């Protein structure tokens, strides 16, 4: 990914290398070579096994490479930084309306990307900033969109919940809880129709897991053998409602009934990668499958929700200490000697600066021009008139 | 009795539908009649027009596919998709379970990816189960994504009142869908309308709501040679002047066009020359044609089958008042369905939908020919 290249070619890293080599055994390989090493196979065991429903779960032993582990770290660190910066921007009133943050759940996006290609499709609900980044979106486009500027990925007309990147198979970004699931099954239908041999991951939360349209879409996906993978990002709270208060059966991976399911530790990027790889193979041969990612969000449901009225602060700090996805990968990187703690801290510092620079650049982007109010209503507008609030004052021709 | 079901060519060379409301009760018999050819050319039922349009568009573009309840093996609930499963196979003609929200969302998702779905609702009453996908997933996507995600989908099916189907199966959705930016709403009347507009809808890159009418499916209309060509399209957003006139403009769409033409015939015998406009397109609404007509006749009667409040007639009236106020010689008259859920009893049902005499009366009022109403206390 673009983020990797930026870090490994940075001159500050090679300076650090020089400093470090003076203080540590000369036998140690430089950090930058680990970042490119995709040949050495490292085998890692997930801390929690997979649980299968109507399927044989994949192995707990997952193969990875130094390059992959370091890229996981970098990608998650960047996502984490982006979401925290968005929090500040919202409080500074530069982001308006809705802002649903993903910090804590980064492993789902990063692990999924490692298992699939950009020809596979992802569709999600409104907690989409990191998914967008994972699909290849840039920081500047993300921040500009959040601030409603021209340089945004939807040119400022969508907002936080409506990020898209069709050329990388990212279909949004949807505000209506549960709607993205039939849409995702539709994408899978089109992939099968076009014989593309690709799959669609339709992400939804534990709140959406009880939606009727999920079961309608799943029924059709199973009947027609569509390559659709339904991914429940179970962060255990649907807005302020805990899962046990909303679902008679919170075993979401089993809710597909006749559709196989897999329960995955969603805070473990490697487990997510393994599960998504397994799911893709399954979906291409046998039709739909449900993945339940056991994950957690540190922020409240959105920026209007402190997130502490329905859960204890102890619970939140507990997850941060025991299960944080970024820390997990950090430990793995350190234990396999792929980088030092200082190097990883420096990466995070660099990303902090990258995020700050992106925000500055996004702030420079102007707001959309007034005529943009009337563009993209249709692809083909037939030269018809559209009106503003005072139709005698503001009219436009739709091209 | 059966002999007069054939389309007659009225005065002025425009076809006048002579199927009165009582004849609609024997709808089943109409569909069993063999196609009649008038001496001036070919005739085609609306059903065959729609079927041929679907067939040709599916043949021309492999990305077009049809899905809905009973569209495949049953040959279509109203036989509109007859023969298509056999011709195109189960991958392109898909029978869905009775899950509108699910299959409509799937259709929209397929359109996101670049396919061209035609989603059939058995009647538009059931579209309410899927209306979130029509509005939030389809209509608004191109705007929210600033042009990245376009949705080339057609939602079609019968709309409005049928015969004796009761309150939950008789609503007209033209006004609701037409109020939403991002959608296009088409309402064919004749077979040429049906063919040309459906082909245009399928080729259109935006979401189109295609409102058919069950009682029109069996009606035959003459079709020109041009209309039978596989490239024939009727332009979206253009109304058609079905009958030219001088004294009063009558706008209508779908089945009401037939009623308006009958009313025009009756009015002409009393010296009132009515101009009948077949709207064809509710969104975009052809305001130019409507206003040009009102500037000529100075009087307007709007006719629709749906509920009156916030209806299509209200929008047309507002448009004319805004654009052509100085040209109006009389207040705008609105004829619409009664402001009640559709009753079942035949006499009440008759009172709940506009009849030809309602249109005649309103036109006369607009022309100040009716007996003035007594002043109320």
């Amino acid at each position: 990914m673009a983020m990797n290249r930026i870090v490994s070619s940075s001159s500050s890293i090679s300076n650090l290398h020089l400093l470090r080599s003076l203080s540590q055994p000369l036998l140690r390989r430089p950090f930058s070579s680990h970042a490119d090493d995709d040949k050495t196979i490292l085998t890692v065991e997930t801390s929690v096994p997979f649980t299968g429903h109507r399927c044989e779960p994949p192995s707990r032993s997952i193969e990875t490479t130094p390059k992959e582990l370091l890229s996981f770290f970098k990608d998650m660190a960047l996502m984490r930084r982006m979401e925290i910066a968005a929090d500040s921007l919202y409080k500074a009133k530069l982001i308006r309306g809705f802002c649903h943050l993903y910090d804590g759940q980064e492993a789902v996006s990063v692990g999924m990307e490692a298992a699939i290609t950009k020809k596979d499709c992802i569709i999600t609900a409104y907690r989409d900033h990191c998914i967008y980044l994972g699909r290849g979106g840039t920081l500047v486009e993300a921040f500009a969109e959040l601030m409603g500027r021209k340089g945004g990925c939807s040119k400022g007309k969508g907002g936080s919940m409506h990020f898209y990147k069709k050329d990388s198979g990212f279909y949004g970004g949807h505000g209506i809880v549960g709607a993205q699931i039939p849409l995702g099954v539709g994408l899978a239908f089109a992939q099968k129709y076009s014989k593309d041999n690709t799959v669609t991951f339709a992400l939804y939360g534990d709140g959406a897991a009880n939606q009727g349209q999920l079961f309608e879409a799943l029924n059709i996906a199973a009947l027609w053998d569509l390559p659709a993978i339904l991914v429940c990002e179970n962060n255990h709270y649907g807005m302020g409602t805990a899962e046990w208060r909303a679902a008679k059966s919170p075993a979401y991976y089993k809710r597909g009934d006749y559709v196989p399911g897999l329960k995955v530790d969603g805070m473990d990027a490697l487990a997510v990668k393994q599960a998504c790889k397994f799911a893709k193979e399954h979906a291409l041969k046998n039709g739909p499958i449900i993945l339940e990612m056991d994950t957690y969000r540190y922020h409240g449901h959105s920026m209007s929700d402190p997130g502490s009225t329905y859960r204890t602060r102890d619970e939140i700090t507990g997850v941060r200490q025991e299960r944080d996805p970024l820390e997990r990968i950090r430990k793995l990187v350190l234990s396999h000697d792929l980088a030092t703690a200082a190097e990883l801290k420096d990466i995070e510092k660099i990303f902090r600066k990258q995020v700050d620079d992106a925000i500055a650049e996004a702030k420079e982007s102007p707001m959309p021009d007034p005529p943009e109010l009337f563009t993209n209503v249709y692809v083909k507008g037939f030269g018809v008139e559209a009106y503003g609030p005072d139709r005698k004052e503001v009219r436009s021709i739709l091209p | 009795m059966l002999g007069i079901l054939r389309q007659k060519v009225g005065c002025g060379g425009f076809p006048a539908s002579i199927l009165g409301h009582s004849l609609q009760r024997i709808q089943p018999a109409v569909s069993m009649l063999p196609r009649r050819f008038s001496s001036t050319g070919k005739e085609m039922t609306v059903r065959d027009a729609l079927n041929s349009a679907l067939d040709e568009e599916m043949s021309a573009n492999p990305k077009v596919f049809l899905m809905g309840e009973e569209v495949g093996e049953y040959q279509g609930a109203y036989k509109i998709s007859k023969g298509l499963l056999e011709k195109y196979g189960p991958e392109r003609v898909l029978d869905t379970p009775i899950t509108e929200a699910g299959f409509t969302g799937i259709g929209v998702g397929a359109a996101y990816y670049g396919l061209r779905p035609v989603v059939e609702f058995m009647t538009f009453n059931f579209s309410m189960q899927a209306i979130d996908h029509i509005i939030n997933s389809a209509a608004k996507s191109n705007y929210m994504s600033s042009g990245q995600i376009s949705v080339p989908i057609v939602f079609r099916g019968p709309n409005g009142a049928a015969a004796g189907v009761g309150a939950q199966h008789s609503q007209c959705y033209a006004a609701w869908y037409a109020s939403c930016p991002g959608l296009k709403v088409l309402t064919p009347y004749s077979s040429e309308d049906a063919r040309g507009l459906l082909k245009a809808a399928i080729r259109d890159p935006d979401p189109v709501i295609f409102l058919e009418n069950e009682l029109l499916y069996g009606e035959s209309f003459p079709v020109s040679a041009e209309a039978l060509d596989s490239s024939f399209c009727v332009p979206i957003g253009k109304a058609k002047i079905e009958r030219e006139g001088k004294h009063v403009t009558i706008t209508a769409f779908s089945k009401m066009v037939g009623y308006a033409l009958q009313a025009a015939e009756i009015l002409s015998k009393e010296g009132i020359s009515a101009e009948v406009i077949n709207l064809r397109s509710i969104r975009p609404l052809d305001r130019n044609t409507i206003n040009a007509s009102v500037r000529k006749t100075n009087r307007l009667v709007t006719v629709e089958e749906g509920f009156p409040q916030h209806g299509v007639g209200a929008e047309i009236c507002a448009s004319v008042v805004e654009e052509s106020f100085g040209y109006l010689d009389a207040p705008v008259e609105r004829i619409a369905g009664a402001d009640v859920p559709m009753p079942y009893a035949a006499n009440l049902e008759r009172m709940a939908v506009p009849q030809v005499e309602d249109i005649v009366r309103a036109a006369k009022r607009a022309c100040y020919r009716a007996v003035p109403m007594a002043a109320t206390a």
Side-chain angles (χ1 to χ4, degrees):
Chain A
M1 284 195 213
M3 296 176 270
N4 300 348
R5 274 181 258 122
I6 292 169
V7 176
S8 51
S9 59
S10 158
S11 55
S12 54
I13 295 292
S14 33
N15 285 339
L16 285 165
H17 158 57
L18 205 57
L19 282 168
R20 197 196 61 243
S21 59
L22 292 172
S23 58
Q24 285 183 8
L26 290 164
L27 290 168
R28 210 172 162 286
R29 280 173 65 198
F31 158 76
S32 50
S33 74
H34 285 296
D36 292 323
D37 179 3
D38 57 358
K39 298 286 182 291
T40 313
I41 306 287
L42 305 165
T43 309
V44 180
E45 272 233 330
T46 64
S47 48
V48 176
F50 299 104
T51 323
H53 166 73
R54 290 188 186 272
C55 70
E56 204 45 54
S59 162
R60 276 173 79 170
S61 287
I62 300 161
E63 285 183 357
T64 181
T65 63
K67 181 175 182 180
E68 181 168 81
L69 283 178
L70 283 166
S71 78
F72 278 6
F73 181 84
K74 289 177 215 159
D75 294 343
M76 288 199 281
L78 194 65
M79 289 175 179
R80 180 68 58 91
R81 189 79 332 251
M82 173 179 76
E83 295 296 75
I84 292 173
D87 175 301
S88 310
L89 285 176
Y90 192 89
K91 286 174 176 146
K93 297 205 197 298
L94 282 159
I95 300 177
R96 308 174 317 117
F98 292 122
C99 190
H100 305 87
L101 299 175
Y102 199 74
D103 50 315
Q105 299 184 211
E106 300 90 347
V108 176
S109 167
V110 163
M112 190 178 288
E113 291 295 343
I116 65 177
T117 72
K118 295 293 189 285
K119 293 253 183 294
D120 296 308
C121 300
I122 297 182
I123 191 168
T124 186
Y126 41 76
R127 209 173 294 280
D128 59 347
H129 309 159
C130 298
I131 309 281
Y132 171 73
L133 221 61
R135 289 265 89 184
T138 65
L139 287 171
V140 177
E141 282 176 302
F143 284 119
E145 186 59 37
L146 287 170
M147 294 193 277
R149 309 294 174 97
K150 247 192 210 175
C153 51
S154 300
K155 312 231 174 58
K157 286 164 77 168
S160 164
M161 299 188 290
H162 304 296
F163 284 22
Y164 304 86
K165 196 160 168 50
K166 189 169 172 180
D167 57 14
S168 306
F170 179 48
Y171 286 85
H174 292 272
I176 306 295
V177 170
Q180 75 275 17
I181 300 162
L183 294 173
V185 173
L187 291 170
F189 172 87
Q191 288 171 317
K192 184 171 178 179
Y193 188 102
S194 313
K195 299 185 172 34
D196 284 346
N197 215 43
T198 50
V199 299
T200 295
F201 287 80
L203 277 54
Y204 61 99
D206 47 288
N210 303 306
Q211 278 257 318
Q213 57 187 320
L214 186 160
F215 299 96
E216 293 189 12
L218 198 61
N219 177 47
I220 292 180
L223 267 176
W224 296 353
D225 266 313
L226 301 179
I229 298 150
L230 269 60
V231 181
C232 179
E233 294 185 279
N234 182 8
N235 57 26
H236 309 283
Y237 297 92
M239 204 155 135
T241 304
E243 61 181 326
W244 55 269
R245 285 180 62 218
K248 187 71 180 170
S249 164
Y252 302 108
Y253 70 110
K254 286 190 190 166
R255 294 279 291 276
D257 184 11
Y258 42 82
V259 170
L262 197 67
K263 186 160 173 173
V264 185
D265 179 0
M267 304 298 255
D268 181 345
L270 289 169
V272 171
K273 175 186 116 167
Q274 181 86 321
C276 291
K277 197 158 153 282
F278 172 79
K280 178 170 174 174
E281 278 162 27
H282 181 280
L284 283 171
K285 282 202 312 274
N286 305 7
I289 184 169
I290 296 182
L291 296 178
E292 180 186 336
M293 304 287 181
D294 185 351
T295 182
Y296 200 85
R297 54 166 162 81
Y298 297 137
H299 270 89
H301 163 73
S302 71
M303 285 305 299
S304 341
D305 170 27
S308 49
T309 57
Y310 48 86
R311 32 182 213 178
T312 62
R313 291 199 195 277
D314 285 341
E315 180 186 289
I316 305 171
T317 42
V319 174
R320 239 190 238 278
Q321 275 160 10
E322 308 293 318
R323 298 180 67 205
D324 185 277
L326 196 53
E327 291 314 306
R328 267 212 200 161
I329 296 293
R330 193 194 302 270
K331 284 196 192 96
L332 272 173
V333 165
L334 293 175
S335 70
H336 281 98
D337 252 340
L338 303 177
T340 63
E343 280 167 334
L344 294 180
K345 274 265 173 304
D346 286 325
I347 293 175
E348 287 176 286
K349 266 202 212 98
I350 289 169
F351 283 160
R352 201 174 188 131
K353 178 152 192 319
Q354 254 180 40
V355 164
D356 289 340
D357 289 345
I359 292 175
E361 191 180 331
K363 279 182 184 166
E364 291 299 303
S365 180
M367 296 184 100
D369 300 322
E372 290 291 331
L373 180 66
F374 294 106
T375 59
N376 306 123
V377 178
Y378 298 108
V379 173
K380 201 166 164 196
F382 295 107
V384 159
E385 270 193 328
Y387 306 101
D390 182 349
R391 55 211 292 147
K392 301 266 161 106
E393 180 71 16
V394 177
R395 330 173 97 154
S396 180
I397 302 290
L398 300 181
Chain B
M1 171 80 133
L2 290 175
I4 56 173
L5 287 170
R6 210 184 64 193
Q7 194 67 17
K8 250 204 223 164
V9 177
C11 53
F14 292 97
S17 168
I18 44 88
L19 281 179
H21 59 272
S22 53
L23 292 171
Q24 258 119 25
R25 293 289 183 272
I26 59 165
Q27 167 63 15
V30 177
S31 57
M32 290 191 292
L33 278 179
R35 202 188 297 170
R36 308 283 207 101
F37 301 130
S38 67
S39 56
T40 49
K42 265 193 99 174
E43 275 198 356
M44 199 183 224
T45 60
V46 170
R47 177 178 287 111
D48 288 338
L50 293 168
N51 183 277
S52 65
L54 281 168
D55 192 348
E56 285 164 25
E57 291 307 302
M58 286 181 76
S59 172
N61 187 343
K63 291 189 175 180
V64 178
F65 68 94
L66 175 64
M67 74 186 208
E69 294 152 15
E70 312 298 353
V71 297
E73 292 188 13
Y74 197 84
Q75 306 295 322
Y78 302 96
K79 305 290 178 266
I80 306 297
S81 53
K82 186 163 182 209
L84 295 179
L85 173 65
E86 197 184 20
K87 188 166 176 186
Y88 295 103
E91 274 152 28
R92 295 184 68 193
V93 179
L94 299 127
D95 281 324
T96 63
I98 309 175
T99 52
E100 275 77 6
F103 71 70
T104 305
I106 289 175
V108 176
Y112 282 1
Y113 197 79
L115 297 187
R116 293 196 161 244
V118 177
V119 175
E120 177 174 307
F121 292 116
M122 201 178 280
T123 74
F124 262 89
N125 300 284
F126 315 136
S127 73
M128 292 199 289
Q129 304 219 301
I131 201 165
D132 175 62
H133 281 296
I134 297 172
I135 307 295
N136 282 322
S137 304
K140 298 178 182 172
S141 281
N142 198 58
Y143 191 84
M144 290 192 297
S145 69
S146 228
Q148 254 193 88
I149 312 277
S150 67
V151 192
I153 193 169
V154 175
F155 302 103
R156 51 158 292 273
N159 174 62
V165 292
Q168 293 180 340
H169 289 76
S170 305
Q171 194 164 331
C172 174
Y173 291 86
W176 280 24
Y177 287 126
S179 72
C180 184
L183 288 180
K184 291 172 181 165
V185 180
L186 303 178
T187 50
Y189 162 62
S190 65
S191 299
E192 270 201 29
D193 287 355
R195 247 184 81 76
L197 286 175
L198 186 54
K199 284 161 85 64
I202 294 174
R203 294 180 195 190
D204 195 275
D206 293 305
V208 179
I209 301 281
F210 195 82
L211 301 174
E212 301 160 6
N213 187 289
E214 188 202 319
L215 299 173
L216 282 177
Y217 283 153
E219 257 198 60
S220 257
F221 295 85
V223 278
S224 62
E226 189 203 356
L228 292 171
D229 187 71
S230 64
S231 63
F232 175 68
C233 273
V234 162
I236 292 178
K238 291 270 165 287
K240 181 182 178 198
I241 306 211
E242 292 284 349
R243 178 185 177 124
E244 277 185 23
K246 292 191 303 236
H247 298 140
V248 60
T249 299
I250 306 178
T251 64
F253 62 93
S254 191
K255 191 156 116 268
M256 291 292 123
V257 176
Y259 283 27
L261 289 169
Q262 287 180 61
E265 193 55 34
I266 294 169
L267 287 163
S268 73
K269 293 186 176 60
E270 306 199 24
I272 298 178
S273 153
E275 178 150 293
V276 175
I277 300 182
N278 171 5
L279 291 173
R280 279 181 165 178
S281 181
I282 310 296
R283 185 173 186 111
L285 189 62
D286 191 350
R287 298 169 202 277
N288 291 340
T289 300
I290 297 167
N291 277 283
S293 174
V294 171
R295 288 176 185 213
K296 184 174 74 168
T297 65
N298 311 123
R299 295 159 205 280
L300 175 61
V301 176
T302 68
V303 183
E304 69 195 287
E305 206 182 60
F307 297 135
Q309 193 163 336
H310 312 296
V312 175
E315 175 62 30
I316 294 176
C317 175
S319 175
V320 163
V321 163
E322 283 159 1
E323 307 281 333
S324 314
F325 184 69
Y327 293 82
L328 282 169
D329 285 347
V332 175
E333 298 281 347
R334 277 189 299 173
I335 295 295
D339 213 357
V340 298
M342 183 67 67
Y344 168 66
N347 63 329
L348 294 181
E349 187 186 53
R350 194 186 174 285
M351 287 162 61
V353 281
Q355 303 299 332
V356 175
E357 57 254 31
D358 294 313
I359 306 174
V360 169
R361 194 186 315 113
K364 282 185 182 167
R365 271 202 312 263
C367 296
Y368 295 118
R369 299 284 209 88
V371 174
M373 277 166 53
T376 49

